[in-house]
Amino acid sequence: MRIVIAEDAVLLRHGLTLLLAENGHEVVDAVDDAEKLLRAVADSRPDVAVVDVRMPPTHSDEGLRAALVIRKQWPETGVLVLSQYVEERYASDLITGELNGVGYLLKDRVADVEEFLSALDRVGAGGTVFDPEVVSQILARSRRQDPLAALTPREREAFTLMAEGRSNSGIAEGLVITEGAVEKYVASIFHKLGLPKTSTEHRRVLAVLRYLDS
């Protein structure tokens, strides 16, 4: 395969170049920043771009943003992102849309040569590779962001009836409980959804919108 490497650490960039060349791949370019990466991909149209998430000048997300540009402008080029740590938001951005030819690995995986080369081959063949730790943290983040995750089973039942348009008395009838109990459930739901009482917003409507969005 023809490969472009984007890694600002000289030793790692050189090491990856040697490793890939020794295993039958052609490294058509090895660059140290995101702008050079985009030029290299535009010029050589490699099979795979191996990209570090954090690159100059700010060492924040330049590499990831360049990877997203590659995914959009040159979808035939696979992207294998390498990161020192699990960057949940970046990983989530990367997997939005088509998943053909995309991978996200922690740099520690590079030490396992066979695993790294296997991941590279799969991405180059149009497959998808995600580090188990990345998957675990994305799922955990997804659970944390679920607006209904904090509700008890009984509160969820009350919330479902609320979303159907029932009044407190209707919810009480449906759950066979008192209206006083329903009021406590509703107050708890508002609190857990972060909906304080205001004079300008209807909390019941906002809560139902959260329910539908979830």
Side-chain angles (χ1 to χ4, degrees), residues 40-84:
V41 172
D43 292 342
S44 60
R45 304 296 176 87
D47 298 302
V48 179
V50 179
V51 184
D52 183 15
V53 166
R54 300 188 175 193
M55 301 186 73
T58 68
H59 293 278
S60 56
D61 63 352
E62 283 86 351
L64 188 280
R65 285 190 282 113
L68 295 175
V69 171
I70 294 170
R71 296 283 296 152
K72 182 177 181 179
Q73 294 192 10
W74 303 285
E76 69 279 5
T77 294
V79 175
L80 179 58
V81 171
L82 301 179
S83 179
Q84 189 70 42

mmCIF file of all heavy atoms in Angstrom, residues 40-84:
data_model
loop_
_atom_site.group_PDB
_atom_site.id
_atom_site.type_symbol
_atom_site.label_atom_id
_atom_site.label_comp_id
_atom_site.label_asym_id
_atom_site.label_seq_id
_atom_site.Cartn_x
_atom_site.Cartn_y
_atom_site.Cartn_z
ATOM 1 N N ALA A 40 0.167 16.550 0.941
ATOM 2 C CA ALA A 40 0.691 15.239 0.550
ATOM 3 C C ALA A 40 -0.417 14.323 0.042
ATOM 4 O O ALA A 40 -0.249 13.610 -0.954
ATOM 5 C CB ALA A 40 1.417 14.592 1.728
ATOM 6 N N VAL A 41 -1.552 14.346 0.721
ATOM 7 C CA VAL A 41 -2.671 13.501 0.291
ATOM 8 C C VAL A 41 -3.229 13.994 -1.042
ATOM 9 O O VAL A 41 -3.538 13.186 -1.937
ATOM 10 C CB VAL A 41 -3.787 13.496 1.357
ATOM 11 C CG1 VAL A 41 -5.039 12.785 0.835
ATOM 12 C CG2 VAL A 41 -3.290 12.799 2.621
ATOM 13 N N ALA A 42 -3.332 15.307 -1.217
ATOM 14 C CA ALA A 42 -3.829 15.860 -2.479
ATOM 15 C C ALA A 42 -2.917 15.505 -3.639
ATOM 16 O O ALA A 42 -3.377 15.208 -4.749
ATOM 17 C CB ALA A 42 -3.971 17.381 -2.360
ATOM 18 N N ASP A 43 -1.603 15.511 -3.392
ATOM 19 C CA ASP A 43 -0.630 15.250 -4.461
ATOM 20 C C ASP A 43 -0.489 13.772 -4.797
ATOM 21 O O ASP A 43 -0.398 13.393 -5.962
ATOM 22 C CB ASP A 43 0.745 15.817 -4.074
ATOM 23 C CG ASP A 43 0.763 17.335 -4.021
ATOM 24 O OD1 ASP A 43 -0.160 17.954 -4.603
ATOM 25 O OD2 ASP A 43 1.671 17.895 -3.386
ATOM 26 N N SER A 44 -0.461 12.919 -3.755
ATOM 27 C CA SER A 44 -0.121 11.505 -3.992
ATOM 28 C C SER A 44 -1.294 10.541 -3.895
ATOM 29 O O SER A 44 -1.178 9.385 -4.302
ATOM 30 C CB SER A 44 0.980 11.070 -3.019
ATOM 31 O OG SER A 44 0.543 11.215 -1.674
ATOM 32 N N ARG A 45 -2.428 10.988 -3.321
ATOM 33 C CA ARG A 45 -3.613 10.141 -3.159
ATOM 34 C C ARG A 45 -3.237 8.746 -2.630
ATOM 35 O O ARG A 45 -3.429 7.736 -3.313
ATOM 36 C CB ARG A 45 -4.360 10.016 -4.485
ATOM 37 C CG ARG A 45 -4.769 11.324 -5.105
ATOM 38 C CD ARG A 45 -5.779 12.074 -4.215
ATOM 39 N NE ARG A 45 -6.103 13.376 -4.760
ATOM 40 C CZ ARG A 45 -7.060 13.593 -5.660
ATOM 41 N NH1 ARG A 45 -7.790 12.589 -6.103
ATOM 42 N NH2 ARG A 45 -7.294 14.812 -6.088
ATOM 43 N N PRO A 46 -2.711 8.680 -1.425
ATOM 44 C CA PRO A 46 -2.283 7.393 -0.867
ATOM 45 C C PRO A 46 -3.458 6.487 -0.546
ATOM 46 O O PRO A 46 -4.619 6.935 -0.519
ATOM 47 C CB PRO A 46 -1.551 7.806 0.412
ATOM 48 C CG PRO A 46 -2.270 9.057 0.843
ATOM 49 C CD PRO A 46 -2.571 9.779 -0.446
ATOM 50 N N ASP A 47 -3.166 5.226 -0.290
ATOM 51 C CA ASP A 47 -4.208 4.293 0.134
ATOM 52 C C ASP A 47 -4.641 4.584 1.571
ATOM 53 O O ASP A 47 -5.818 4.456 1.907
ATOM 54 C CB ASP A 47 -3.697 2.849 0.042
ATOM 55 C CG ASP A 47 -3.336 2.469 -1.382
ATOM 56 O OD1 ASP A 47 -4.218 2.555 -2.250
ATOM 57 O OD2 ASP A 47 -2.164 2.106 -1.619
ATOM 58 N N VAL A 48 -3.664 4.956 2.416
ATOM 59 C CA VAL A 48 -3.942 5.234 3.829
ATOM 60 C C VAL A 48 -3.095 6.411 4.305
ATOM 61 O O VAL A 48 -1.928 6.525 3.936
ATOM 62 C CB VAL A 48 -3.652 4.012 4.726
ATOM 63 C CG1 VAL A 48 -3.921 4.340 6.195
ATOM 64 C CG2 VAL A 48 -4.491 2.804 4.303
ATOM 65 N N ALA A 49 -3.688 7.256 5.126
ATOM 66 C CA ALA A 49 -2.944 8.298 5.836
ATOM 67 C C ALA A 49 -2.913 7.913 7.306
ATOM 68 O O ALA A 49 -3.963 7.688 7.911
ATOM 69 C CB ALA A 49 -3.599 9.659 5.658
ATOM 70 N N VAL A 50 -1.711 7.809 7.878
ATOM 71 C CA VAL A 50 -1.541 7.531 9.304
ATOM 72 C C VAL A 50 -1.322 8.876 9.980
ATOM 73 O O VAL A 50 -0.331 9.558 9.702
ATOM 74 C CB VAL A 50 -0.340 6.591 9.548
ATOM 75 C CG1 VAL A 50 -0.177 6.335 11.044
ATOM 76 C CG2 VAL A 50 -0.557 5.267 8.805
ATOM 77 N N VAL A 51 -2.240 9.259 10.872
ATOM 78 C CA VAL A 51 -2.278 10.644 11.350
ATOM 79 C C VAL A 51 -2.260 10.720 12.869
ATOM 80 O O VAL A 51 -3.064 10.079 13.548
ATOM 81 C CB VAL A 51 -3.554 11.342 10.825
ATOM 82 C CG1 VAL A 51 -3.564 12.809 11.233
ATOM 83 C CG2 VAL A 51 -3.673 11.191 9.316
ATOM 84 N N ASP A 52 -1.361 11.556 13.403
ATOM 85 C CA ASP A 52 -1.354 11.857 14.828
ATOM 86 C C ASP A 52 -2.437 12.903 15.098
ATOM 87 O O ASP A 52 -2.596 13.857 14.330
ATOM 88 C CB ASP A 52 0.016 12.398 15.232
ATOM 89 C CG ASP A 52 0.130 12.672 16.719
ATOM 90 O OD1 ASP A 52 -0.731 12.179 17.492
ATOM 91 O OD2 ASP A 52 1.065 13.380 17.132
ATOM 92 N N VAL A 53 -3.191 12.732 16.186
ATOM 93 C CA VAL A 53 -4.267 13.674 16.510
ATOM 94 C C VAL A 53 -3.721 15.061 16.798
ATOM 95 O O VAL A 53 -4.195 16.063 16.261
ATOM 96 C CB VAL A 53 -5.093 13.179 17.722
ATOM 97 C CG1 VAL A 53 -5.980 14.300 18.263
ATOM 98 C CG2 VAL A 53 -5.953 11.987 17.335
ATOM 99 N N ARG A 54 -2.707 15.147 17.647
ATOM 100 C CA ARG A 54 -2.202 16.447 18.099
ATOM 101 C C ARG A 54 -0.921 16.800 17.348
ATOM 102 O O ARG A 54 0.088 16.122 17.481
ATOM 103 C CB ARG A 54 -1.952 16.420 19.600
ATOM 104 C CG ARG A 54 -3.227 16.122 20.395
ATOM 105 C CD ARG A 54 -3.018 16.274 21.879
ATOM 106 N NE ARG A 54 -4.258 16.107 22.620
ATOM 107 C CZ ARG A 54 -4.429 16.422 23.885
ATOM 108 N NH1 ARG A 54 -3.427 16.941 24.569
ATOM 109 N NH2 ARG A 54 -5.588 16.235 24.480
ATOM 110 N N MET A 55 -1.003 17.902 16.590
ATOM 111 C CA MET A 55 0.137 18.317 15.773
ATOM 112 C C MET A 55 0.319 19.833 15.873
ATOM 113 O O MET A 55 -0.552 20.545 16.385
ATOM 114 C CB MET A 55 -0.093 17.887 14.319
ATOM 115 C CG MET A 55 -0.269 16.374 14.139
ATOM 116 S SD MET A 55 -0.362 15.879 12.415
ATOM 117 C CE MET A 55 1.344 16.105 11.932
ATOM 118 N N PRO A 56 1.474 20.342 15.386
ATOM 119 C CA PRO A 56 1.726 21.787 15.412
ATOM 120 C C PRO A 56 0.661 22.526 14.594
ATOM 121 O O PRO A 56 0.054 21.959 13.691
ATOM 122 C CB PRO A 56 3.111 21.898 14.764
ATOM 123 C CG PRO A 56 3.738 20.545 14.944
ATOM 124 C CD PRO A 56 2.597 19.578 14.831
ATOM 125 N N PRO A 57 0.434 23.823 14.925
ATOM 126 C CA PRO A 57 1.204 24.605 15.891
ATOM 127 C C PRO A 57 0.687 24.536 17.332
ATOM 128 O O PRO A 57 1.427 24.829 18.263
ATOM 129 C CB PRO A 57 1.076 26.026 15.347
ATOM 130 C CG PRO A 57 -0.272 26.034 14.681
ATOM 131 C CD PRO A 57 -0.437 24.671 14.082
ATOM 132 N N THR A 58 -0.560 24.179 17.550
ATOM 133 C CA THR A 58 -1.112 24.240 18.907
ATOM 134 C C THR A 58 -1.068 22.899 19.634
ATOM 135 O O THR A 58 -1.310 22.842 20.827
ATOM 136 C CB THR A 58 -2.582 24.715 18.884
ATOM 137 O OG1 THR A 58 -3.400 23.708 18.269
ATOM 138 C CG2 THR A 58 -2.723 26.024 18.125
ATOM 139 N N HIS A 59 -0.803 21.834 18.891
ATOM 140 C CA HIS A 59 -0.779 20.488 19.493
ATOM 141 C C HIS A 59 -2.099 20.162 20.191
ATOM 142 O O HIS A 59 -2.122 19.568 21.264
ATOM 143 C CB HIS A 59 0.388 20.347 20.472
ATOM 144 C CG HIS A 59 1.717 20.389 19.796
ATOM 145 N ND1 HIS A 59 2.288 19.304 19.183
ATOM 146 C CD2 HIS A 59 2.585 21.424 19.615
ATOM 147 C CE1 HIS A 59 3.458 19.647 18.653
ATOM 148 N NE2 HIS A 59 3.660 20.936 18.907
ATOM 149 N N SER A 60 -3.202 20.580 19.557
ATOM 150 C CA SER A 60 -4.516 20.258 20.118
ATOM 151 C C SER A 60 -5.209 19.243 19.211
ATOM 152 O O SER A 60 -5.140 18.045 19.449
ATOM 153 C CB SER A 60 -5.362 21.522 20.295
ATOM 154 O OG SER A 60 -5.496 22.222 19.068
ATOM 155 N N ASP A 61 -5.857 19.732 18.142
ATOM 156 C CA ASP A 61 -6.601 18.794 17.298
ATOM 157 C C ASP A 61 -6.332 18.975 15.805
ATOM 158 O O ASP A 61 -7.132 18.553 14.966
ATOM 159 C CB ASP A 61 -8.095 18.938 17.560
ATOM 160 C CG ASP A 61 -8.615 20.322 17.200
ATOM 161 O OD1 ASP A 61 -7.800 21.212 16.890
ATOM 162 O OD2 ASP A 61 -9.842 20.523 17.227
ATOM 163 N N GLU A 62 -5.192 19.577 15.465
ATOM 164 C CA GLU A 62 -4.907 19.827 14.047
ATOM 165 C C GLU A 62 -4.924 18.550 13.206
ATOM 166 O O GLU A 62 -5.471 18.515 12.098
ATOM 167 C CB GLU A 62 -3.542 20.511 13.877
ATOM 168 C CG GLU A 62 -3.522 21.979 14.206
ATOM 169 C CD GLU A 62 -3.283 22.234 15.682
ATOM 170 O OE1 GLU A 62 -3.307 21.266 16.462
ATOM 171 O OE2 GLU A 62 -3.042 23.390 16.048
ATOM 172 N N GLY A 63 -4.327 17.500 13.729
ATOM 173 C CA GLY A 63 -4.275 16.246 12.983
ATOM 174 C C GLY A 63 -5.656 15.657 12.767
ATOM 175 O O GLY A 63 -5.974 15.171 11.676
ATOM 176 N N LEU A 64 -6.473 15.703 13.805
ATOM 177 C CA LEU A 64 -7.826 15.162 13.694
ATOM 178 C C LEU A 64 -8.642 15.968 12.687
ATOM 179 O O LEU A 64 -9.368 15.399 11.860
ATOM 180 C CB LEU A 64 -8.501 15.170 15.063
ATOM 181 C CG LEU A 64 -9.860 14.485 15.234
ATOM 182 C CD1 LEU A 64 -10.995 15.342 14.737
ATOM 183 C CD2 LEU A 64 -9.874 13.130 14.547
ATOM 184 N N ARG A 65 -8.533 17.289 12.739
ATOM 185 C CA ARG A 65 -9.293 18.108 11.790
ATOM 186 C C ARG A 65 -8.840 17.844 10.359
ATOM 187 O O ARG A 65 -9.651 17.804 9.430
ATOM 188 C CB ARG A 65 -9.158 19.595 12.151
ATOM 189 C CG ARG A 65 -9.993 19.968 13.375
ATOM 190 C CD ARG A 65 -10.083 21.450 13.622
ATOM 191 N NE ARG A 65 -8.876 21.976 14.248
ATOM 192 C CZ ARG A 65 -8.028 22.807 13.683
ATOM 193 N NH1 ARG A 65 -8.234 23.219 12.444
ATOM 194 N NH2 ARG A 65 -6.974 23.248 14.326
ATOM 195 N N ALA A 66 -7.536 17.628 10.182
ATOM 196 C CA ALA A 66 -7.031 17.281 8.844
ATOM 197 C C ALA A 66 -7.567 15.920 8.402
ATOM 198 O O ALA A 66 -7.918 15.721 7.238
ATOM 199 C CB ALA A 66 -5.505 17.259 8.854
ATOM 200 N N ALA A 67 -7.661 14.983 9.350
ATOM 201 C CA ALA A 67 -8.207 13.657 9.036
ATOM 202 C C ALA A 67 -9.656 13.765 8.573
ATOM 203 O O ALA A 67 -10.081 13.071 7.639
ATOM 204 C CB ALA A 67 -8.105 12.747 10.253
ATOM 205 N N LEU A 68 -10.427 14.650 9.209
ATOM 206 C CA LEU A 68 -11.823 14.834 8.817
ATOM 207 C C LEU A 68 -11.921 15.441 7.420
ATOM 208 O O LEU A 68 -12.821 15.094 6.646
ATOM 209 C CB LEU A 68 -12.544 15.724 9.834
ATOM 210 C CG LEU A 68 -12.690 15.138 11.247
ATOM 211 C CD1 LEU A 68 -13.299 16.175 12.187
ATOM 212 C CD2 LEU A 68 -13.538 13.879 11.225
ATOM 213 N N VAL A 69 -10.984 16.328 7.088
ATOM 214 C CA VAL A 69 -10.950 16.901 5.734
ATOM 215 C C VAL A 69 -10.657 15.804 4.709
ATOM 216 O O VAL A 69 -11.292 15.729 3.648
ATOM 217 C CB VAL A 69 -9.889 18.015 5.634
ATOM 218 C CG1 VAL A 69 -9.701 18.444 4.171
ATOM 219 C CG2 VAL A 69 -10.286 19.218 6.483
ATOM 220 N N ILE A 70 -9.714 14.936 5.043
ATOM 221 C CA ILE A 70 -9.374 13.831 4.135
ATOM 222 C C ILE A 70 -10.584 12.928 3.924
ATOM 223 O O ILE A 70 -10.881 12.514 2.794
ATOM 224 C CB ILE A 70 -8.192 13.020 4.702
ATOM 225 C CG1 ILE A 70 -6.922 13.876 4.716
ATOM 226 C CG2 ILE A 70 -7.959 11.740 3.887
ATOM 227 C CD1 ILE A 70 -5.768 13.248 5.470
ATOM 228 N N ARG A 71 -11.282 12.621 5.007
ATOM 229 C CA ARG A 71 -12.458 11.757 4.903
ATOM 230 C C ARG A 71 -13.499 12.369 3.959
ATOM 231 O O ARG A 71 -14.196 11.651 3.247
ATOM 232 C CB ARG A 71 -13.086 11.561 6.288
ATOM 233 C CG ARG A 71 -12.207 10.847 7.282
ATOM 234 C CD ARG A 71 -12.172 9.364 7.043
ATOM 235 N NE ARG A 71 -13.473 8.764 7.244
ATOM 236 C CZ ARG A 71 -13.888 7.654 6.629
ATOM 237 N NH1 ARG A 71 -13.113 7.057 5.761
ATOM 238 N NH2 ARG A 71 -15.074 7.156 6.873
ATOM 239 N N LYS A 72 -13.595 13.692 3.971
ATOM 240 C CA LYS A 72 -14.610 14.365 3.158
ATOM 241 C C LYS A 72 -14.163 14.561 1.714
ATOM 242 O O LYS A 72 -14.927 14.286 0.777
ATOM 243 C CB LYS A 72 -14.943 15.721 3.789
ATOM 244 C CG LYS A 72 -16.023 16.491 3.041
ATOM 245 C CD LYS A 72 -16.359 17.794 3.758
ATOM 246 C CE LYS A 72 -17.460 18.554 3.021
ATOM 247 N NZ LYS A 72 -17.812 19.827 3.724
ATOM 248 N N GLN A 73 -12.909 15.001 1.517
ATOM 249 C CA GLN A 73 -12.456 15.358 0.179
ATOM 250 C C GLN A 73 -11.872 14.185 -0.598
ATOM 251 O O GLN A 73 -11.958 14.145 -1.829
ATOM 252 C CB GLN A 73 -11.428 16.491 0.264
ATOM 253 C CG GLN A 73 -12.004 17.798 0.778
ATOM 254 C CD GLN A 73 -11.046 18.963 0.580
ATOM 255 O OE1 GLN A 73 -10.027 18.855 -0.099
ATOM 256 N NE2 GLN A 73 -11.374 20.095 1.182
ATOM 257 N N TRP A 74 -11.253 13.256 0.112
ATOM 258 C CA TRP A 74 -10.638 12.110 -0.562
ATOM 259 C C TRP A 74 -11.084 10.818 0.123
ATOM 260 O O TRP A 74 -10.286 10.128 0.777
ATOM 261 C CB TRP A 74 -9.110 12.229 -0.542
ATOM 262 C CG TRP A 74 -8.618 13.496 -1.177
ATOM 263 C CD1 TRP A 74 -8.565 13.788 -2.503
ATOM 264 C CD2 TRP A 74 -8.100 14.655 -0.505
ATOM 265 N NE1 TRP A 74 -8.054 15.044 -2.711
ATOM 266 C CE2 TRP A 74 -7.753 15.600 -1.507
ATOM 267 C CE3 TRP A 74 -7.888 14.978 0.841
ATOM 268 C CZ2 TRP A 74 -7.232 16.844 -1.184
ATOM 269 C CZ3 TRP A 74 -7.372 16.222 1.157
ATOM 270 C CH2 TRP A 74 -7.046 17.142 0.149
ATOM 271 N N PRO A 75 -12.354 10.470 0.015
ATOM 272 C CA PRO A 75 -12.899 9.309 0.732
ATOM 273 C C PRO A 75 -12.254 7.987 0.338
ATOM 274 O O PRO A 75 -12.363 7.010 1.075
ATOM 275 C CB PRO A 75 -14.388 9.335 0.362
ATOM 276 C CG PRO A 75 -14.451 10.109 -0.923
ATOM 277 C CD PRO A 75 -13.378 11.135 -0.819
ATOM 278 N N GLU A 76 -11.580 7.964 -0.812
ATOM 279 C CA GLU A 76 -10.900 6.727 -1.216
ATOM 280 C C GLU A 76 -9.623 6.480 -0.411
ATOM 281 O O GLU A 76 -9.062 5.383 -0.437
ATOM 282 C CB GLU A 76 -10.567 6.773 -2.711
ATOM 283 C CG GLU A 76 -9.488 7.769 -3.108
ATOM 284 C CD GLU A 76 -9.983 9.207 -3.247
ATOM 285 O OE1 GLU A 76 -11.169 9.456 -2.938
ATOM 286 O OE2 GLU A 76 -9.184 10.070 -3.667
ATOM 287 N N THR A 77 -9.160 7.488 0.319
ATOM 288 C CA THR A 77 -7.977 7.345 1.176
ATOM 289 C C THR A 77 -8.418 6.975 2.589
ATOM 290 O O THR A 77 -9.178 7.710 3.221
ATOM 291 C CB THR A 77 -7.167 8.657 1.225
ATOM 292 O OG1 THR A 77 -6.623 8.923 -0.072
ATOM 293 C CG2 THR A 77 -6.019 8.548 2.223
ATOM 294 N N GLY A 78 -7.950 5.838 3.059
ATOM 295 C CA GLY A 78 -8.265 5.437 4.426
ATOM 296 C C GLY A 78 -7.517 6.304 5.422
ATOM 297 O O GLY A 78 -6.466 6.869 5.100
ATOM 298 N N VAL A 79 -8.053 6.428 6.620
ATOM 299 C CA VAL A 79 -7.425 7.239 7.661
ATOM 300 C C VAL A 79 -7.265 6.411 8.929
ATOM 301 O O VAL A 79 -8.253 5.906 9.471
ATOM 302 C CB VAL A 79 -8.259 8.499 7.974
ATOM 303 C CG1 VAL A 79 -7.642 9.257 9.150
ATOM 304 C CG2 VAL A 79 -8.350 9.405 6.751
ATOM 305 N N LEU A 80 -6.024 6.276 9.375
ATOM 306 C CA LEU A 80 -5.747 5.593 10.646
ATOM 307 C C LEU A 80 -5.181 6.626 11.605
ATOM 308 O O LEU A 80 -4.055 7.092 11.441
ATOM 309 C CB LEU A 80 -4.756 4.448 10.449
ATOM 310 C CG LEU A 80 -4.360 3.676 11.714
ATOM 311 C CD1 LEU A 80 -5.574 3.078 12.400
ATOM 312 C CD2 LEU A 80 -3.341 2.586 11.384
ATOM 313 N N VAL A 81 -5.974 7.006 12.582
ATOM 314 C CA VAL A 81 -5.583 8.037 13.540
ATOM 315 C C VAL A 81 -4.874 7.395 14.725
ATOM 316 O O VAL A 81 -5.316 6.375 15.254
ATOM 317 C CB VAL A 81 -6.813 8.825 14.024
ATOM 318 C CG1 VAL A 81 -6.462 9.746 15.172
ATOM 319 C CG2 VAL A 81 -7.417 9.626 12.871
ATOM 320 N N LEU A 82 -3.776 8.007 15.136
ATOM 321 C CA LEU A 82 -3.035 7.563 16.316
ATOM 322 C C LEU A 82 -3.107 8.651 17.377
ATOM 323 O O LEU A 82 -2.961 9.839 17.073
ATOM 324 C CB LEU A 82 -1.571 7.295 15.969
ATOM 325 C CG LEU A 82 -1.293 6.242 14.893
ATOM 326 C CD1 LEU A 82 0.207 6.125 14.676
ATOM 327 C CD2 LEU A 82 -1.877 4.901 15.268
ATOM 328 N N SER A 83 -3.328 8.243 18.621
ATOM 329 C CA SER A 83 -3.436 9.222 19.699
ATOM 330 C C SER A 83 -2.763 8.696 20.955
ATOM 331 O O SER A 83 -2.801 7.494 21.234
ATOM 332 C CB SER A 83 -4.910 9.524 19.983
ATOM 333 O OG SER A 83 -5.044 10.460 21.034
ATOM 334 N N GLN A 84 -2.142 9.603 21.701
ATOM 335 C CA GLN A 84 -1.490 9.211 22.950
ATOM 336 C C GLN A 84 -2.524 8.799 23.994
ATOM 337 O O GLN A 84 -2.322 7.878 24.771
ATOM 338 C CB GLN A 84 -0.645 10.371 23.488
ATOM 339 C CG GLN A 84 0.246 10.006 24.660
ATOM 340 C CD GLN A 84 1.395 9.087 24.255
ATOM 341 O OE1 GLN A 84 2.014 9.284 23.208
ATOM 342 N NE2 GLN A 84 1.663 8.075 25.057
#
